[in-house]
Each structure stands twice: as structure tokens, then as C-alpha cells.
Amino acid sequence: QVTGVLDDCLCDIDSIDNFNTFKIFPKIKKLQERDYFRYYKVNLKRPCPFWAEDGHCSIKDCHVEPCPESKIPVGIKAGSSNKYLKVANNTKELEDCEQANKLGAINSTLSNQSKEAFIDWARYDDSQDHFCELDDERSPAAQYVDLLLNPERYTGYKGPSAWRVWNSIYEENCFKPRSVYRPLNPLAPSRGEDDGESFYTWLEGLCLEKRVFYKLISGLHASINLHLCANYLLEETWGKPSWGPNMKEFKRRFDPVETKGEGPRRLKNLYFLYLIELRALSKVAPYFERSIVDLYTGNVEEDADTKTLLLNIFQDTKSFPMHFDEKSMFAGDKKGAKSLKEEFRLHFKNISRIMDCVGCDKCRLWGKLQTQGLGTALKILFSEKEIQKLPENSPSKGFQLTRQEIVALLNAFGRLSTSIRELQNFKVLLQHSR
């Protein structure tokens, strides 16, 4: 049932499947293995701001292994959140670096004036643009995590704690009308006659922006669930776990019969989310095409290869013929559009804070990364004018991305690309099982 044209955009699912399988997936997988993108700095110790936590998860598959300092490439470890800029990579200027609150040593070829300006801009990185709570990279609790050693998969984390997190996201942040009583959370127990596809008539009454918001969150939830179904703990023999696709779990979450028609809708929302992030990548390309931007790890050759691969992916995203048109959003009268955009941003920021309430470290890591990636994509889509005005050879005041945002953006899109690939595999497995 997951075929045809998606609502709210002129794009069909088969085109996305082909585009993802043949163009995006192989390249993004390769990109995620590069040092620049595999190390993500994250604070997994921030307390939940909304309710008392019921203790961290004791299941061993929930545990995240932080990186020993010795393993982290020197260029990443050097401290600055804007470390991908060439101007920030000259270690000769160590005193400047200390003085600048560890924001990055400035290349001595710059004038003192632009030196100060760059430090200033980096420090006051326009917080209005942030759709997410950014983890403070300088917090002693923030640590580097090797994403390749901590893959997203089923951990056994479920029950009241997981339920409360998703419930809080759906009920308090998805613009649900007061007249709708049934919980939006797909994990909610069945509620009789207002179940299934017919329940979603309330969505039609929402404005486009609020509909989009709900679909993004639903798509993210579907994507996370797909990863858990595709990398499920199947059995443990001789103390060695074996991971693989779990058909029963997949059907429970997505089968049209078992979900009363809601499963295909959830999967369509995954495709919608993929389109939104794809659009953001095509829009942010000019930012990275500038010679000043260098994905710096300290290994000159690898850094050049990584940038070439990234630019190659951007070329592919630009070639996609059926992009979502974000100009249709926040297009009403100026005052109304501005307050709606602000509401949208605050709701999203709230969801990123809820991720600090996830009781399982590994789930928290991937939840934070994927919400930050989506938040960065939204920031890009709503900064088009600033991106067009970027100077070629100096840091930009109007629009900047921190290293953490870049790593989250590409890895989050990598997870969506993987989800769509995994969905293909499940389709094949379903046909065989019939």
C-alpha cells in the first residue's frame, strides 16, 4: 500500500525508492564511515527537564561506549565547534585560541578586525536559528562517541519510560486539536471506533505547517521503529548476540491489517521526512561549495576526499526532480507567518529537550542525533536568503553551522536513507513469506 503520490507534495514513492537505492544510499553510507562524520560529541548526562527520571536503563545493549581520547583524530579533538573552517585550523595561534574561549585559533593571515569578528560571531552563533537545544560542546559531561561502534538497533528499551517520551512528544507538541481525544502515539492501546485511517480526518483541518510538523515527527518515529525491526536481537548463542530483521515486529508496527490501515500512513510520513531533509541538503550545498569550508580532521588527503564525496552527494540531491516546495510554508500575512514560525521552532526545541528524558543511553544518543539533524534541516530551509548571500572567502555572519550540526544533519539523513532501504528488504521478505 505504500505507493503513489505523497500528500502535500508532488512526488511519488517509487521515484524516491529508485533515487535513494541507486544514487544516495551507497554514497551516504560511505560518508558516514569517514572520521569527520563518525565521531559525534554529545552530552548523555543532561537531566530530564520535565519529570523525575526512573533511573538509567540497565540493559547492556543500551550502553554507549565513549571514545578513548587517543582514538579521536587530532583535528576533531582540537576544541572548536566551528573546526571545519580553514581559518579556524591554524594551531600556531594557540594563545588566540585560549583567549577566544576555545572557539578556534585564527589563521594569522587574517586582519585583527576579522579575527575579532569571527570569534564574536562564533560565540554569538545566532540562537534564533536553532531549532534544537544544542549540547554545549565545552561541557565536561560531553563526550565523543564513535557512531560506527554504537549502531542504532533494538535494545529492549520499552514499557512506561519509552511510552512517556513518545506520548509527551505527540500530545504536547504536535498541535493536536482539543476536540481529538484519542492519543496520537501509535503505541497507544486501541480505542474502538475512532481507530485506524478514519481517525486522521482531524489532520485535514490543520494548516499546512502544522500538518507538516506532525508528519515530520511521525516519519521520524517510523524511521526509528524500522531500524529497530531491521536490527532486532534475534537470539543469543554462546553469549554472542545475533541481529537481523524481525518480521513479526515489523508487521505489528506497520501491517495495514494489524494497525487498522495506519501502518502505511506512518511509512508515507517517513518518505515525507526524507523529502524535507533531501530538500535541505540541496539548499545548503552553496555553503559547503565555498573554498573556505574544509571538513577538518587533520588528515589532509582524507579531508579532501570527504569534501569531494559530500559535494558529490549535494550534486545528486540537486538533480532530484520532485523536491518539496518549502515556499508554500509560512507564506501567509507577515505577522501571522512570523508567530507560526516561532511556534513551530519552539515546539521543535521542546522535542529536542524531551530526548534528554530517554532512559536508554543508546536510544538517547540516536534520538538526540536525529532530532538535531532534522532541526538543522529546518534551520537551513528557513535561511535561504542568508545562504544565498554567503561570502566566498570569509566566515558568514548570517548563517553558520557548527561541526555538531553538520555531523547530525548528514547522519540523520543517512538513517532515513537506510530506513527506506530496509523497507525494500522487508517488502522482499514479505513476498517470500507468502
CSV table of all heavy atoms in Angstrom, one decimal, residues 1-2 182-192 194-200 214 218 222 253-269:
chain,number,residue,atom,x,y,z
A,1,GLN,N,0.8,-1.2,0.0
A,1,GLN,CA,0.0,0.0,0.0
A,1,GLN,C,0.8,1.3,0.0
A,1,GLN,O,0.3,2.4,-0.2
A,1,GLN,CB,-0.9,0.0,1.2
A,1,GLN,CG,-2.1,-1.0,1.1
A,1,GLN,CD,-3.1,-0.8,2.2
A,1,GLN,OE1,-3.2,0.3,2.8
A,1,GLN,NE2,-3.8,-1.8,2.5
A,2,VAL,N,2.1,1.1,0.2
A,2,VAL,CA,3.0,2.3,0.3
A,2,VAL,C,3.5,2.6,-1.1
A,2,VAL,O,4.6,2.4,-1.5
A,2,VAL,CB,4.2,2.1,1.3
A,2,VAL,CG1,5.0,3.4,1.4
A,2,VAL,CG2,3.6,1.7,2.6
A,182,ARG,N,-8.4,10.8,21.3
A,182,ARG,CA,-7.5,9.6,21.2
A,182,ARG,C,-6.1,10.0,21.2
A,182,ARG,O,-5.7,11.0,20.5
A,182,ARG,CB,-7.9,8.8,20.0
A,182,ARG,CG,-7.4,7.4,20.1
A,182,ARG,CD,-7.3,6.8,18.7
A,182,ARG,NE,-5.9,6.9,18.2
A,182,ARG,CZ,-5.4,6.3,17.1
A,182,ARG,NH1,-6.2,5.5,16.4
A,182,ARG,NH2,-4.2,6.5,16.7
A,183,PRO,N,-5.2,9.3,21.9
A,183,PRO,CA,-3.7,9.7,21.8
A,183,PRO,C,-3.2,9.5,20.4
A,183,PRO,O,-3.6,8.6,19.7
A,183,PRO,CB,-3.1,8.7,22.8
A,183,PRO,CG,-4.2,8.1,23.6
A,183,PRO,CD,-5.4,8.2,22.8
A,184,LEU,N,-2.3,10.4,20.0
A,184,LEU,CA,-1.7,10.3,18.6
A,184,LEU,C,-0.6,9.2,18.6
A,184,LEU,O,-0.3,8.7,17.5
A,184,LEU,CB,-1.1,11.6,18.2
A,184,LEU,CG,-1.9,12.9,18.2
A,184,LEU,CD1,-1.1,14.0,17.6
A,184,LEU,CD2,-3.2,12.6,17.4
A,185,ASN,N,-0.1,8.9,19.8
A,185,ASN,CA,1.0,8.0,19.8
A,185,ASN,C,0.6,6.6,19.3
A,185,ASN,O,-0.3,6.0,19.7
A,185,ASN,CB,1.4,7.8,21.3
A,185,ASN,CG,2.6,7.0,21.5
A,185,ASN,OD1,3.1,6.4,20.6
A,185,ASN,ND2,3.2,7.0,22.8
A,186,PRO,N,1.3,6.1,18.2
A,186,PRO,CA,1.0,4.8,17.7
A,186,PRO,C,1.1,3.6,18.7
A,186,PRO,O,0.6,2.6,18.5
A,186,PRO,CB,1.9,4.6,16.5
A,186,PRO,CG,2.7,5.8,16.4
A,186,PRO,CD,2.4,6.7,17.5
A,187,LEU,N,1.8,3.9,19.8
A,187,LEU,CA,2.0,2.9,20.8
A,187,LEU,C,0.8,2.8,21.7
A,187,LEU,O,0.6,1.9,22.6
A,187,LEU,CB,3.2,3.1,21.7
A,187,LEU,CG,4.6,3.3,21.0
A,187,LEU,CD1,5.6,3.8,22.0
A,187,LEU,CD2,5.0,2.0,20.4
A,188,ALA,N,-0.2,3.7,21.5
A,188,ALA,CA,-1.4,3.8,22.4
A,188,ALA,C,-2.2,2.5,22.2
A,188,ALA,O,-2.4,2.0,21.1
A,188,ALA,CB,-2.2,5.0,22.1
A,189,PRO,N,-2.9,2.1,23.3
A,189,PRO,CA,-3.8,0.9,23.2
A,189,PRO,C,-5.0,1.3,22.3
A,189,PRO,O,-5.3,2.5,22.2
A,189,PRO,CB,-4.2,0.6,24.6
A,189,PRO,CG,-3.8,1.8,25.4
A,189,PRO,CD,-2.7,2.5,24.7
A,190,SER,N,-5.6,0.3,21.7
A,190,SER,CA,-6.7,0.5,20.8
A,190,SER,C,-7.9,1.2,21.4
A,190,SER,O,-8.2,1.0,22.6
A,190,SER,CB,-7.1,-0.9,20.3
A,190,SER,OG,-7.9,-0.7,19.2
A,191,ARG,N,-8.5,2.1,20.7
A,191,ARG,CA,-9.6,2.9,21.3
A,191,ARG,C,-11.0,2.6,20.5
A,191,ARG,O,-11.7,3.6,20.3
A,191,ARG,CB,-9.3,4.3,21.2
A,191,ARG,CG,-8.3,4.8,22.2
A,191,ARG,CD,-8.9,4.7,23.6
A,191,ARG,NE,-7.9,5.0,24.7
A,191,ARG,CZ,-7.6,6.2,25.1
A,191,ARG,NH1,-8.3,7.3,24.7
A,191,ARG,NH2,-6.7,6.4,26.1
A,192,GLY,N,-11.2,1.4,20.0
A,192,GLY,CA,-12.5,1.2,19.4
A,192,GLY,C,-12.8,1.9,18.1
A,192,GLY,O,-11.9,2.0,17.2
A,194,ASP,N,-12.9,5.0,16.9
A,194,ASP,CA,-12.2,6.1,16.2
A,194,ASP,C,-10.8,5.7,15.9
A,194,ASP,O,-9.8,6.5,15.8
A,194,ASP,CB,-12.2,7.4,17.1
A,194,ASP,CG,-11.4,7.2,18.4
A,194,ASP,OD1,-11.0,6.1,18.7
A,194,ASP,OD2,-11.1,8.3,19.0
A,195,ASP,N,-10.6,4.4,15.7
A,195,ASP,CA,-9.3,3.8,15.3
A,195,ASP,C,-9.0,3.9,13.8
A,195,ASP,O,-9.9,4.1,13.1
A,195,ASP,CB,-9.2,2.4,15.8
A,195,ASP,CG,-8.3,2.3,17.0
A,195,ASP,OD1,-8.0,3.3,17.6
A,195,ASP,OD2,-7.8,1.2,17.3
A,196,GLY,N,-7.8,3.6,13.5
A,196,GLY,CA,-7.5,3.4,12.0
A,196,GLY,C,-7.5,4.6,11.2
A,196,GLY,O,-7.4,5.8,11.8
A,197,GLU,N,-7.6,4.5,9.9
A,197,GLU,CA,-7.4,5.6,9.0
A,197,GLU,C,-8.4,6.7,9.2
A,197,GLU,O,-8.1,7.9,9.1
A,197,GLU,CB,-7.5,5.0,7.6
A,197,GLU,CG,-7.2,5.9,6.4
A,197,GLU,CD,-5.7,6.4,6.5
A,197,GLU,OE1,-4.9,5.8,7.1
A,197,GLU,OE2,-5.4,7.4,5.8
A,198,SER,N,-9.6,6.4,9.6
A,198,SER,CA,-10.7,7.4,9.8
A,198,SER,C,-10.4,8.4,10.8
A,198,SER,O,-10.8,9.5,10.8
A,198,SER,CB,-12.0,6.7,10.1
A,198,SER,OG,-11.9,6.0,11.3
A,199,PHE,N,-9.5,8.0,11.8
A,199,PHE,CA,-9.1,8.9,12.9
A,199,PHE,C,-8.4,10.1,12.4
A,199,PHE,O,-8.5,11.2,13.0
A,199,PHE,CB,-8.2,8.1,13.8
A,199,PHE,CG,-7.4,8.9,14.8
A,199,PHE,CD1,-8.1,9.7,15.8
A,199,PHE,CD2,-6.0,9.0,14.7
A,199,PHE,CE1,-7.4,10.5,16.7
A,199,PHE,CE2,-5.3,9.8,15.6
A,199,PHE,CZ,-6.0,10.5,16.6
A,200,TYR,N,-7.8,10.1,11.2
A,200,TYR,CA,-6.9,11.1,10.8
A,200,TYR,C,-7.6,12.3,10.1
A,200,TYR,O,-7.0,13.2,9.6
A,200,TYR,CB,-5.8,10.6,9.8
A,200,TYR,CG,-4.8,9.8,10.7
A,200,TYR,CD1,-4.9,8.5,10.8
A,200,TYR,CD2,-3.8,10.5,11.3
A,200,TYR,CE1,-4.0,7.8,11.6
A,200,TYR,CE2,-2.9,9.8,12.1
A,200,TYR,CZ,-3.0,8.5,12.2
A,200,TYR,OH,-2.1,7.8,13.0
A,214,TYR,N,3.5,17.5,12.2
A,214,TYR,CA,3.0,16.2,12.7
A,214,TYR,C,3.7,15.1,11.8
A,214,TYR,O,4.2,14.1,12.3
A,214,TYR,CB,1.5,16.1,12.6
A,214,TYR,CG,1.1,14.6,12.8
A,214,TYR,CD1,1.1,14.0,14.0
A,214,TYR,CD2,0.7,13.9,11.7
A,214,TYR,CE1,0.7,12.7,14.2
A,214,TYR,CE2,0.3,12.6,11.8
A,214,TYR,CZ,0.4,12.0,13.0
A,214,TYR,OH,0.0,10.6,13.1
A,218,SER,N,6.0,12.0,13.0
A,218,SER,CA,5.5,10.6,12.7
A,218,SER,C,6.5,9.9,11.9
A,218,SER,O,6.8,8.7,12.1
A,218,SER,CB,4.1,10.7,12.0
A,218,SER,OG,3.8,9.5,11.5
A,222,ALA,N,8.6,6.5,12.7
A,222,ALA,CA,8.5,5.3,11.8
A,222,ALA,C,9.9,4.9,11.4
A,222,ALA,O,10.2,3.7,11.4
A,222,ALA,CB,7.7,5.7,10.5
A,253,ARG,N,4.0,-3.2,13.8
A,253,ARG,CA,4.1,-1.8,13.8
A,253,ARG,C,3.5,-1.2,12.5
A,253,ARG,O,3.1,0.0,12.4
A,253,ARG,CB,5.5,-1.3,14.0
A,253,ARG,CG,6.1,-1.6,15.3
A,253,ARG,CD,7.6,-1.4,15.4
A,253,ARG,NE,8.2,-1.9,16.6
A,253,ARG,CZ,8.5,-1.2,17.7
A,253,ARG,NH1,8.2,0.1,17.7
A,253,ARG,NH2,9.1,-1.8,18.7
A,254,PHE,N,3.6,-2.0,11.4
A,254,PHE,CA,3.3,-1.3,10.1
A,254,PHE,C,2.2,-2.1,9.2
A,254,PHE,O,1.8,-1.5,8.2
A,254,PHE,CB,4.6,-1.2,9.2
A,254,PHE,CG,5.6,-0.3,9.9
A,254,PHE,CD1,6.8,-0.8,10.4
A,254,PHE,CD2,5.4,1.1,10.0
A,254,PHE,CE1,7.7,0.0,11.0
A,254,PHE,CE2,6.3,1.9,10.6
A,254,PHE,CZ,7.5,1.3,11.1
A,255,ASP,N,1.9,-3.3,9.5
A,255,ASP,CA,1.0,-4.1,8.7
A,255,ASP,C,-0.4,-3.4,8.6
A,255,ASP,O,-0.9,-3.0,9.7
A,255,ASP,CB,0.8,-5.5,9.2
A,255,ASP,CG,-0.1,-6.3,8.3
A,255,ASP,OD1,0.5,-6.9,7.3
A,255,ASP,OD2,-1.3,-6.4,8.6
A,256,PRO,N,-1.0,-3.2,7.4
A,256,PRO,CA,-2.3,-2.5,7.3
A,256,PRO,C,-3.4,-3.1,8.2
A,256,PRO,O,-4.2,-2.5,8.8
A,256,PRO,CB,-2.7,-2.6,5.9
A,256,PRO,CG,-1.4,-2.9,5.1
A,256,PRO,CD,-0.5,-3.6,6.1
A,257,VAL,N,-3.4,-4.5,8.2
A,257,VAL,CA,-4.4,-5.2,9.0
A,257,VAL,C,-4.2,-5.0,10.5
A,257,VAL,O,-5.1,-4.6,11.2
A,257,VAL,CB,-4.5,-6.7,8.6
A,257,VAL,CG1,-5.5,-7.4,9.4
A,257,VAL,CG2,-4.7,-6.8,7.1
A,258,GLU,N,-3.0,-5.2,10.9
A,258,GLU,CA,-2.7,-5.2,12.4
A,258,GLU,C,-2.8,-3.7,12.9
A,258,GLU,O,-3.0,-3.5,14.1
A,258,GLU,CB,-1.3,-5.8,12.7
A,258,GLU,CG,-1.3,-7.3,12.5
A,258,GLU,CD,-0.1,-8.0,13.1
A,258,GLU,OE1,0.3,-7.5,14.2
A,258,GLU,OE2,0.4,-8.9,12.5
A,259,THR,N,-2.6,-2.7,12.0
A,259,THR,CA,-2.6,-1.3,12.5
A,259,THR,C,-3.9,-0.6,12.0
A,259,THR,O,-3.9,0.6,12.1
A,259,THR,CB,-1.4,-0.6,12.0
A,259,THR,OG1,-1.4,-0.6,10.5
A,259,THR,CG2,-0.1,-1.2,12.4
A,260,LYS,N,-4.8,-1.4,11.5
A,260,LYS,CA,-6.1,-0.8,11.0
A,260,LYS,C,-5.8,0.3,10.0
A,260,LYS,O,-6.4,1.4,10.1
A,260,LYS,CB,-7.0,-0.3,12.2
A,260,LYS,CG,-7.3,-1.3,13.1
A,260,LYS,CD,-8.4,-0.8,14.2
A,260,LYS,CE,-8.8,-2.0,15.1
A,260,LYS,NZ,-9.6,-1.5,16.2
A,261,GLY,N,-4.9,0.0,9.1
A,261,GLY,CA,-4.7,1.0,8.0
A,261,GLY,C,-3.7,2.1,8.3
A,261,GLY,O,-3.3,2.9,7.5
A,262,GLU,N,-3.2,2.2,9.6
A,262,GLU,CA,-2.4,3.3,10.0
A,262,GLU,C,-0.9,3.1,9.6
A,262,GLU,O,-0.2,4.0,9.4
A,262,GLU,CB,-2.4,3.5,11.5
A,262,GLU,CG,-3.7,4.1,11.9
A,262,GLU,CD,-3.7,4.6,13.4
A,262,GLU,OE1,-2.6,5.0,13.9
A,262,GLU,OE2,-4.7,4.5,14.0
A,263,GLY,N,-0.5,1.8,9.5
A,263,GLY,CA,0.9,1.5,9.2
A,263,GLY,C,1.4,2.1,7.9
A,263,GLY,O,2.5,2.8,7.9
A,264,PRO,N,0.7,2.0,6.8
A,264,PRO,CA,1.2,2.6,5.5
A,264,PRO,C,1.2,4.1,5.6
A,264,PRO,O,2.1,4.7,5.1
A,264,PRO,CB,0.1,2.2,4.5
A,264,PRO,CG,-0.5,0.9,5.0
A,264,PRO,CD,-0.4,1.0,6.5
A,265,ARG,N,0.3,4.7,6.4
A,265,ARG,CA,0.4,6.2,6.6
A,265,ARG,C,1.7,6.6,7.3
A,265,ARG,O,2.3,7.6,7.0
A,265,ARG,CB,-0.8,6.6,7.4
A,265,ARG,CG,-0.8,8.1,7.7
A,265,ARG,CD,-2.0,8.5,8.6
A,265,ARG,NE,-3.2,8.7,7.9
A,265,ARG,CZ,-3.6,9.8,7.3
A,265,ARG,NH1,-2.8,10.9,7.4
A,265,ARG,NH2,-4.7,10.0,6.7
A,266,ARG,N,2.0,5.8,8.3
A,266,ARG,CA,3.3,6.1,9.1
A,266,ARG,C,4.5,6.0,8.1
A,266,ARG,O,5.4,6.8,8.2
A,266,ARG,CB,3.5,5.1,10.2
A,266,ARG,CG,2.5,5.2,11.3
A,266,ARG,CD,2.6,4.1,12.3
A,266,ARG,NE,1.4,4.0,13.1
A,266,ARG,CZ,1.0,2.9,13.7
A,266,ARG,NH1,1.8,1.8,13.7
A,266,ARG,NH2,-0.1,2.9,14.4
A,267,LEU,N,4.5,5.0,7.2
A,267,LEU,CA,5.6,4.8,6.3
A,267,LEU,C,5.6,5.9,5.3
A,267,LEU,O,6.7,6.4,4.9
A,267,LEU,CB,5.6,3.5,5.6
A,267,LEU,CG,5.8,2.3,6.6
A,267,LEU,CD1,5.5,1.0,5.9
A,267,LEU,CD2,7.3,2.3,7.1
A,268,LYS,N,4.5,6.4,4.9
A,268,LYS,CA,4.4,7.6,3.9
A,268,LYS,C,5.0,8.8,4.6
A,268,LYS,O,5.6,9.6,3.9
A,268,LYS,CB,3.0,7.8,3.5
A,268,LYS,CG,2.5,6.8,2.4
A,268,LYS,CD,1.1,7.2,1.9
A,268,LYS,CE,0.8,6.3,0.7
A,268,LYS,NZ,-0.6,6.5,0.2
A,269,ASN,N,4.8,8.9,5.9
A,269,ASN,CA,5.4,10.1,6.6
A,269,ASN,C,6.9,10.0,6.7
A,269,ASN,O,7.6,11.0,6.7
A,269,ASN,CB,4.8,10.2,8.0
A,269,ASN,CG,3.3,10.6,8.0
A,269,ASN,OD1,2.8,11.2,7.0
A,269,ASN,ND2,2.6,10.3,9.1
